Amino acid sequence: WNSKIADLDPAFRLAEPYPTSELTIRDLFSHRSGLPGTAGDDLEDIGYDRAEILRRLRFVPPSSSFRAGYSYSNFGLTEGAVAAAMPTGKSWEEVAEEKLYRPLGMASTSSRHADFVKHANRA
């Protein structure tokens, strides 16, 4: 939880240098990075892929000071997951399946959008 994103994913940047250097997985999962809640959502809607959206978060002005406010951010959480999985050499979707879903017996749960859309009965 306390691993710095800069150590795990050195290419990731926020708009300001200090939060970029101090940002942790915990900060992203607790939505206190300063990213506005909708950061990246519009880009996804018009077809940008995950890697490009995460790269472009560096251009988003913060909605609050680092660690001073809460704002639910889909792509902030995504970066936390992507960065946490990087040391394994696997995608976060693979790691979630191996470490969370399978051990819990969640045989039809996935974090992959493609798996979601291929099932008629989904939530």
Side-chain angles (χ1 to χ4, degrees):
W1 292 111
N2 295 320
S3 296
K4 290 184 178 182
I5 301 302
D7 295 334
L8 299 168
D9 184 3
F12 183 77
R13 300 275 184 280
L14 292 172
E16 298 173 353
Y18 178 75
T20 297
S21 68
E22 296 302 314
L23 186 68
T24 65
I25 293 169
R26 181 184 314 273
D27 293 322
L28 290 169
F29 271 72
S30 63
H31 306 285
R32 60 185 189 155
S33 67
L35 282 170
T38 59
D41 292 355
D42 290 341
L43 294 176
E44 182 179 43
D45 291 344
I46 60 174
Y48 283 86
D49 67 15
R50 178 194 304 160
E52 185 61 18
I53 294 167
L54 294 177
R55 190 187 75 75
R56 288 174 179 249
L57 290 179
R58 67 189 68 203
F59 304 118
V60 177
S63 62
S64 68
S65 295
F66 180 54
R67 296 182 179 150
Y70 171 88
S71 186
Y72 184 93
S73 169
N74 289 323
F75 282 99
L77 186 71
T78 299
E79 174 57 26
V82 167
M86 280 190 167
T88 70
K90 299 176 183 179
S91 70
W92 75 269
E93 294 91 345
E94 290 174 279
V95 174
E97 184 177 329
E98 292 173 12
K99 302 290 183 184
L100 297 173
Y101 308 144
R102 272 195 233 144
L104 292 170
M106 298 169 73
S108 58
T109 301
S110 174
S111 293
R112 293 177 190 88
H113 187 259
D115 292 343
F116 172 76
V117 296
K118 76 180 178 184
H119 294 289
N121 183 7
R122 61 183 180 244

